[in-house]
Amino acid sequence: MNSPSTQRETEIRARIDQLRAALRRHGVDACLVPSADPHLSEYLPEHWQARQWLSGFTGSMGTLVVTTDFTGVWADSRYWVQAEAELAGTGITLMRIPTGNNSQHVDWLAANLPEGGSLAVDGSSLGLAAAQQLRAAFGARAITLRADLDLVAEVWSDRPALPAAPVYEHLPPHAATSRADKLAGVRAAMAAHGAGWHFLSTLDDIAWLFNLRGSDVSYNPVFIAHALIGADTATLFVGGGKVPAALAERLTTDGVVLAPYDAAPAALAALPADATLLLDPRRVTLGLREKVAEGVRVVEAINPSTLAKSRKTAAEAAHVREAMAQDGAALAEFFAWFESAIGRETITELTVDEKLTAARARRPGFVSASFGTIAAWNANGAMPHYHATDASHATIAGDGLLLIDSGGQYLGGTTDITRVVAVGTPSAAQKRDFTLVLKGMISLSRAKFPRGTLSPALDALARAPIWAEGIEYGHGTGHGVGYFMNVHEGPQSISKAIPNADMAMEPGMITSNEPGIYRPGQWGVRIENLLLNVEAGSTEFGDFLAFETLTLCPIDTRCIDRGLLRDDEVSWLNAYHATVRERVAPLVTGAALAWLEANTQAI
């Protein structure tokens, strides 16, 4: 009898062989399978997890290329250890790429496909910007992009159906701006671009714009849909039966018409020949772009809703602060339990996830986790995107560091927090790494900068104390966070990504602050808070912004090497802990309150 791993490897090889047979049937040289769906989402419904189904690699980011004699998955450093394990025995090569560089597969294809050859890719799940990049790279060698061939559909016979969960309304007081006002704002931006029409595919934009939510995508309260906005009309393309009748009536009152999900391409094809259409090339697929009627003038610019929803209103920020306090209370309850139970009962990484999610679920307004909890003991913490499974997880025992990266979706906000806690006695080397990461996190937290600063410019503030010791980490320092929406949202990103004008820091944006140090085979340290851009006064040089720390949970002072902290850094930490105690204490009692008070004492 084959072992489960051998059976899995056999299945993966058989699927790749079937795809190669499809290549030969259609006379193409290679097939590209991105981690994408028709909405270019980060987290995909099972129906569109083609790269995972074909390769067995379960990371959320990665690109699969299959040729007649080569199969490779391109993945960045966050996933290398995971990908090596999951691809072992499948005949698939791991192609390592630096974080933030997602185009190396394009260069490889341009160099390795035969001149005059062809590449098949499902155009309905290929971003327009990605298609433009491929065509630019292929031009010199006359390689054809066959976006009309969905070879995966030919070989994936038991493909899961589209999700059918119902859509629901995000209501006041948490939905602080009405649907009508949001639509008016988008139409004003359309007019500024000279566009009478605007097409949307990104699910977070659609959910935000219509004050609707769903559960079609794990952890993200969104639903599968497209939208077409006109000067006085709005059409929402969504699966039949997903919108309850009463909600459909309220949408009609606001001028929103429902249409079948698969009718979106035809609607683009039916636009008047003299129309002007606003499209975001980074947020729409090639397949949909190619459906736009001949003669329609297309204006390419960022979705107005992407910029608008990134700037939380004062009312939304107030709700986020409440959600953060409730999240902090859940964490206090969890850590109080953890410290009392460690050494007395068996605790695994899976137990951490179970107990922490249960603590959050007891809090008002909680809807779901905002991503899969990362509970990583010692060496597992060195893998930034590690996830324990039933088949592979660690028991927490002895001395070491436990890294917990988790978050919650609340009606009034989205949380994302990472803490590293000591079990037993941390070593001097562990304390040093922890303190260097803390110094980087504090440095960014205290930043003051001109309004409009491009967010990648702030990345070095968090890295400087870590770089000073000859250490580096392979992921970005911060990602944008939605409002009861996706835990990863743009357009801002504190990272070493190539900046563009849309990444300007503006009041109301919420961004994570999460530097780290990772020692493969030993431990990982990452400390993460969420930060809100707030106005910080004006000078003769312009308006300035600063960060308000939103996250409310103690940082484990047992892991700190006090000799590495300056007095001003200690003052920041003590003030932060005083705020945590003041905000969270009214929401907890008993052991949780005692734990909170003990862990927020000044050092």
Side-chain angles (χ1 to χ4, degrees):
M1 179 181 293
N2 288 338
S3 69
S5 61
T6 302
Q7 181 177 346
R8 176 181 167 279
E9 292 161 12
T10 301
E11 289 174 351
I12 296 300
R13 288 178 178 271
R15 291 167 185 171
I16 296 298
D17 286 344
Q18 291 174 36
L19 188 60
R20 285 203 170 103
L23 289 177
R24 291 190 290 270
R25 280 197 304 274
H26 291 277
V28 293
D29 299 288
C31 179
L32 172 68
V33 185
S35 297
D37 63 9
H39 311 277
L40 304 181
S41 307
E42 177 182 9
Y43 297 101
L44 309 177
E46 288 187 6
H47 180 81
W48 285 298
Q49 290 181 6
R51 187 224 63 215
Q52 178 176 321
W53 180 79
L54 277 165
S55 70
F57 170 54
T58 61
S60 61
M61 301 295 288
T63 303
L64 172 69
V65 170
V66 179
T67 73
T68 55
D69 58 4
F70 170 84
T71 307
V73 167
W74 276 254
D76 68 45
S77 62
R78 297 171 297 170
Y79 300 102
W80 289 348
V81 174
Q82 174 186 348
E84 281 181 343
E86 292 181 340
L87 297 178
T90 64
I92 300 173
T93 302
L94 170 61
M95 306 294 284
R96 292 172 171 82
I97 59 174
T99 296
N101 184 342
N102 61 1
S103 63
Q104 287 196 358
H105 66 280
V106 176
D107 299 334
W108 187 94
L109 286 163
N112 287 274
L113 292 185
E115 188 163 353
S118 57
L119 172 72
V121 59
D122 175 15
S124 71
S125 294
L126 180 68
L128 177 57
Q132 292 168 341
Q133 186 180 39
L134 282 165
R135 284 173 169 161
F138 289 175
R141 303 191 65 230
I143 297 170
T144 302
L145 184 66
R146 290 288 308 275
D148 58 318
L149 282 179
D150 184 0
L151 300 185
V152 174
E154 292 189 19
V155 301
W156 196 356
S157 58
D158 58 348
R159 191 170 194 167
L162 292 177
V167 175
Y168 60 95
E169 197 163 13
H170 192 212
L171 295 166
H174 299 109
T177 305
S178 72
R179 212 171 4 247
D181 286 347
K182 289 180 177 179
L183 284 165
V186 167
R187 288 180 174 126
M190 290 163 53
H193 284 290
W197 298 91
H198 174 43
F199 186 77
L200 283 163
S201 280
T202 35
L203 304 184
D204 50 337
D205 283 291
I206 292 168
W208 176 88
L209 180 59
F210 293 99
N211 280 348
L212 300 174
R213 297 294 189 270
S215 55
D216 286 350
V217 180
S218 297
Y219 310 118
N220 298 337
V222 296
F223 57 96
I224 303 300
H226 299 285
L228 181 62
I229 315 299
D232 52 13
T233 64
T235 303
L236 185 62
F237 302 93
V238 62
K242 290 177 67 69
V243 181
L247 176 53
E249 288 183 14
R250 291 194 293 276
L251 289 167
T252 300
T253 301
D254 286 335
V256 180
V257 176
L258 299 181
Y261 172 71
D262 57 8
L268 286 172
L271 286 173
D274 59 349
T276 299
L277 175 68
L278 173 62
L279 280 181
D280 187 337
R282 295 179 177 273
R283 294 172 176 85
V284 73
T285 65
L286 172 67
L288 286 165
R289 172 63 181 87
E290 291 186 337
K291 295 296 183 183
V292 177
E294 287 288 334
V296 171
R297 176 174 170 261
V298 174
V299 176
E300 293 190 354
I302 190 171
N303 289 334
S305 50
T306 300
L307 293 171
K309 71 181 171 59
S310 73
R311 297 187 57 182
K312 282 62 177 176
T313 65
E316 289 171 339
H319 289 302
V320 171
R321 293 185 188 101
E322 293 175 12
M324 292 289 174
Q326 294 292 347
D327 205 57
L331 287 156
E333 289 182 358
F334 163 78
F335 280 119
W337 165 82
F338 179 80
E339 295 203 352
S340 69
I342 194 73
R344 293 193 303 106
E345 55 186 276
T346 300
I347 301 175
T348 72
E349 294 165 335
L350 297 176
T351 316
V352 170
D353 182 12
E354 175 190 343
K355 294 288 187 178
L356 183 49
T357 301
R360 283 194 168 103
R362 291 190 289 269
R363 289 287 140 187
F366 177 79
V367 176
S368 73
S370 57
F371 57 96
T373 298
I374 299 171
W377 173 239
N378 280 343
N380 291 338
M383 295 179 276
H385 278 221
Y386 168 80
H387 282 284
T389 66
D390 290 336
S392 177
H393 59 267
T395 297
I396 299 161
D399 293 340
L401 299 180
L402 174 63
L403 183 154
I404 306 173
D405 188 349
S406 67
Q409 294 285 9
Y410 297 82
L411 293 174
T414 301
T415 72
D416 181 4
I417 174 175
T418 306
R419 289 294 184 266
V420 171
V421 295
V423 177
T425 304
S427 69
Q430 289 171 335
K431 286 185 174 182
R432 177 175 177 270
D433 281 353
F434 185 97
T435 309
L436 291 174
V437 172
L438 177 60
K439 288 169 71 72
M441 195 271 284
I442 292 174
S443 175
L444 181 57
S445 301
R446 299 172 66 193
K448 185 176 179 180
F449 47 92
R451 178 175 178 174
T453 295
L454 299 186
S455 52
L458 302 173
D459 182 73
L461 296 177
R463 293 183 192 267
I466 297 168
W467 282 346
E469 301 302 320
I471 305 171
E472 172 67 305
Y473 54 93
H475 56 75
T477 298
H479 55 82
V481 178
Y483 176 68
F484 182 36
M485 194 68 72
N486 295 357
V487 75
H488 293 159
E489 280 191 19
Q492 82 279 17
S493 170
I494 299 175
S495 66
K496 293 191 287 185
I498 298 172
N500 61 65
D502 297 327
M503 301 171 81
M505 291 298 247
E506 296 290 345
M509 288 180 166
I510 296 176
T511 315
S512 70
N513 173 8
E514 48 182 315
I517 292 176
Y518 307 94
R519 305 280 184 183
Q522 299 180 71
W523 62 77
V525 175
R526 183 166 66 253
I527 305 172
E528 176 186 18
N529 284 341
L530 299 189
L531 308 175
L532 173 69
N533 288 1
V534 295
E535 295 179 353
S538 301
T539 72
E540 67 270 30
F541 298 100
D543 298 333
F544 279 74
L545 300 177
F547 289 125
E548 173 191 337
T549 297
L550 294 169
T551 305
L552 298 169
C553 181
I555 292 165
D556 193 346
T557 57
R558 297 171 299 180
C559 297
I560 293 175
D561 182 339
R562 175 64 179 81
L564 294 178
L565 289 182
R566 302 188 309 266
D567 288 346
D568 60 309
E569 293 169 328
V570 172
S571 295
W572 182 93
L573 181 63
N574 288 339
Y576 173 67
H577 278 158
T579 299
V580 172
R581 185 168 60 252
E582 176 187 357
R583 297 274 307 283
V584 177
L587 302 176
V588 292
T589 59
L593 178 58
W595 179 88
L596 178 70
E597 291 177 341
N599 284 274
T600 53
Q601 296 300 310
I603 64 171

